Amino acid sequence: MANYDFPPGSRYHAVPVAMRVGEDGTVVPYLLRRFLPPLDGFVTLHEHTVVEGERPDLVAARELGDSEAFWRLCDANGAMHPDELTDTIGERVRITLPDGVPPPARE
Amino acid sequence: MVQGIHLTLMIGPAVPVPAPRMVVDALQSVEVTSGKDKSGFQLSFGVSKDSPLLTTLLPAGYFDPIATRVVVMVTLGGFPHVLMDGLVTRQELAPSSDPGQSVLTITGDDLSTAMDLIELALPYPNMSSTVQAYQILARYAGLGIVPIVIPPFIPEQPIMTKKIEAQNGTDLEHLKKIADDSGFVFYVEPGPLPGQSIAYLGPNIRIPVPQPALSINMDAHTNVESMSFQLDGLAKETLLVNVHDPITGRLPLVIPIPSVNIFQPPLGARPTPPLKTVMSHDTGGDSTEFTLKKMLGRMLKGAANAITVSGSLDVLRYGHVLRSKLMVGVRGAGLAYDGLYYVDSVTHKIKRGEFKQSFELSRDGLISLTPRVPT
């Protein structure tokens, strides 16, 4: 179920909201935990090699054209924390199509 | 590549699969039009006499009408946009004596075409219009269509012993009739992922979150190639309905119905007044509920919007894909025409290294109601 508190480009857009009722009857809404999608749903287009001074948002801006889409790179590389993506120089970052989008045909 | 735009083209009988390399290589241009209630697409392929498209795929039925489903999808900034999920309806081949000028054109419409094929005569005993709509749409679950049907505001429950509602025509015609009776709209919208679609039957709601602003004449902030504004003073009209007084049933009472829509709040501070007055030519005899539903439906539909805008933009410059049936801000056109607009239709034109859109916007009056539009 889409969550309209977050824009469509946000990673929380598809995360459902749950309610917790406290002992005194107060209702606290909260976002359910978001799990990383399985890696086999992503199709690699090419790889990006991390150089010195790079951050996830810089890679996203250069490769995807949108710095706020850095979380898509984390999803595609199985990185729980964004800094894991670029903490080693020379590391290869998979640049992929969005989750569930089929690859271009080879023949 | 991903830097910029990635086009995914999926074609196939029943289940669309990614198009083979030779098909993508031959693809010259893609045009997708998404309007208020209908969308269409056109694929143009450059073909030579011994191209595998003409020698193998076309005779084997790769582009057969209705049997072939086409999904056009664009990935921009890592975000997937399904522009079209439809069925092929036409093929056109224009062979040329000049080398490299032969063109094969494939034209099609959205998935609502599948609902417009077979005329049926079916009774729907004891079923309200919502149940009827769900029953019709259940036949198309195989195409990946998820129905969303909003019940009418004045519900009418037909009882078998009094009258039996019936469908007399194609499924699409009956759905449109259900929508029309309560002033609703019906359309099939592709997305959010390939192979999925949403069939919506409900009021024409304007989602209040607007898309990034279209700016013109603003130096570095300009993201639109061209835009032109028209105001038609004769577009709006007031409808007069005659109702006989309930006691004697003889004296006609004239009730004017203004062209306002409770789901479409005014976007202009100075609405264009309705200059035309028309009489309702519907004769009476309907039940009170039905008459009320019809009048409410008329109010839900509103009238034609007086101000229309047409223009074009380059998606790489704009940075987003402009979508129809949503709102968008306009800047740089001056005090009278700036502000929020409703996007009526968008045409996507994709060629190699180029993604352009032309759009039609509309609004009910001059001068913006919001002090600023989101950029």
Side-chain angles (χ1 to χ4, degrees):
Chain A
M1 189 61 212
N3 182 350
Y4 294 103
D5 292 337
F6 297 93
S10 163
R11 80 189 103 164
Y12 300 116
H13 185 68
V15 176
V17 179
M19 298 289 177
R20 183 185 172 277
V21 183
E23 283 170 14
D24 55 347
T26 52
V27 178
V28 182
Y30 67 99
L31 284 177
L32 288 181
R33 187 173 169 194
R34 177 177 180 273
F35 291 96
L36 290 186
L39 286 181
D40 49 9
F42 295 93
V43 178
T44 310
L45 286 174
H46 62 273
E47 284 182 337
H48 172 90
T49 311
V50 176
V51 296
E52 176 144 18
E54 247 177 351
R55 298 192 313 252
D57 55 331
L58 296 178
V59 182
R62 180 167 312 147
E63 295 287 349
L64 304 179
D66 181 6
S67 55
E68 289 183 356
F70 69 92
W71 61 274
R72 294 180 183 277
L73 294 180
C74 298
D75 276 5
N77 289 279
M80 283 280 278
H81 195 275
D83 288 342
E84 284 174 23
L85 204 65
T86 50
D87 52 1
T88 323
I89 292 168
E91 196 178 335
R92 289 176 165 267
V93 176
R94 287 169 72 205
I95 308 298
T96 66
L97 284 174
D99 190 14
V101 176
R106 288 282 163 229
E107 287 186 64
Chain B
M1 285 287 99
V2 187
Q3 171 67 49
I5 289 160
H6 190 278
L7 175 76
T8 308
L9 180 67
M10 295 163 77
I11 304 176
V15 181
V17 291
R21 172 63 67 85
M22 57 187 171
V23 173
V24 177
D25 282 349
L27 188 66
Q28 280 182 339
S29 70
V30 180
E31 198 170 305
V32 174
T33 309
S34 77
K36 262 182 191 159
D37 56 351
K38 195 109 185 111
S39 330
F41 67 91
Q42 196 163 55
L43 310 173
S44 299
F45 298 96
V47 287
S48 62
K49 208 188 272 178
D50 53 355
S51 156
L53 262 81
L54 293 189
T55 57
T56 320
L57 291 178
L58 205 53
Y62 190 65
F63 291 119
D64 270 6
I66 302 301
T68 306
R69 198 164 154 194
V70 173
V71 175
V72 179
M73 186 173 160
V74 159
T75 304
L76 181 73
F79 192 71
H81 298 267
V82 182
L83 300 184
M84 173 49 77
D85 188 346
L87 301 170
V88 174
T89 56
R90 274 174 87 88
Q91 305 172 350
E92 280 158 62
L93 180 64
S96 169
S97 307
D98 299 322
Q101 297 298 310
S102 306
V103 179
L104 171 69
T105 312
I106 306 293
T107 315
D109 289 322
D110 63 16
L111 287 180
S112 65
T113 321
M115 305 176 189
D116 204 17
L117 293 176
I118 305 165
E119 282 205 3
L120 294 170
L122 280 180
Y124 292 107
N126 285 342
M127 287 188 204
S128 68
S129 60
T130 314
V131 181
Q132 291 175 32
Y134 272 121
Q135 177 154 18
I136 293 172
L137 288 170
R139 292 174 206 148
Y140 302 96
L143 289 171
I145 297 178
V146 179
I148 297 179
V149 180
I150 313 279
F153 300 114
I154 301 177
E156 207 188 2
Q157 176 61 48
I159 296 164
M160 228 168 119
T161 49
K162 269 192 176 169
K163 75 172 180 184
I164 295 181
E165 297 257 331
Q167 168 179 356
N168 230 328
T170 62
D171 289 346
L172 184 67
E173 281 166 9
H174 194 63
L175 287 166
K176 288 242 157 104
K177 187 184 154 286
I178 291 174
D180 222 45
D181 282 348
S182 28
F184 286 178
V185 288
F186 173 75
Y187 55 79
V188 181
E189 179 85 349
L193 276 178
Q196 300 174 342
S197 288
I198 290 169
Y200 176 78
L201 197 161
N204 196 0
I205 294 176
R206 289 175 176 177
I207 298 173
V209 185
Q211 308 179 72
L214 303 168
S215 312
I216 195 159
N217 198 7
M218 294 187 78
D219 295 337
H221 293 291
T222 301
N223 55 16
V224 173
E225 285 175 343
S226 67
M227 239 193 310
S228 67
F229 298 78
Q230 293 108 32
L231 191 151
D232 181 3
L234 299 178
K236 284 192 181 179
E237 50 191 37
T238 308
L239 181 73
L240 297 181
V241 177
N242 274 313
V243 179
H244 289 280
D245 76 306
I247 301 162
T248 62
R250 281 179 194 281
L251 296 170
L253 307 169
V254 179
I255 303 174
I257 299 182
S259 53
V260 289
N261 185 338
I262 46 178
F263 282 104
Q264 296 178 354
L267 297 172
R270 206 161 73 76
T272 319
L275 297 175
K276 276 172 117 179
T277 304
V278 292
M279 298 279 281
S280 168
H281 294 294
D282 294 336
T283 46
D286 295 322
S287 66
T288 319
E289 288 90 355
F290 192 77
T291 313
L292 270 175
K293 197 165 132 182
K294 240 174 152 173
M295 284 162 71
L296 187 73
R298 161 82 196 184
M299 290 188 73
L300 283 175
K301 245 183 262 177
N305 277 319
I307 298 176
T308 50
V309 188
S310 54
S312 65
L313 63 87
D314 190 334
V315 172
L316 280 179
R317 187 83 200 266
Y318 181 51
H320 304 267
V321 176
L322 188 73
R323 302 218 59 143
S324 65
K325 306 184 196 90
L326 292 174
M327 302 220 291
V328 70
V330 169
R331 305 189 294 169
L335 177 68
Y337 287 109
D338 274 356
L340 289 176
Y341 283 83
Y342 184 69
V343 185
D344 280 338
S345 74
V346 171
T347 304
H348 313 262
K349 291 171 191 159
I350 305 167
K351 280 186 195 154
R352 232 159 254 291
E354 186 186 293
F355 185 179
K356 293 200 170 172
Q357 293 186 302
S358 56
F359 52 85
E360 303 266 333
L361 319 175
S362 70
R363 187 165 89 174
D364 51 355
L366 295 169
I367 309 177
S368 175
L369 266 184
T370 45
R372 55 173 302 179
V373 295
T375 53

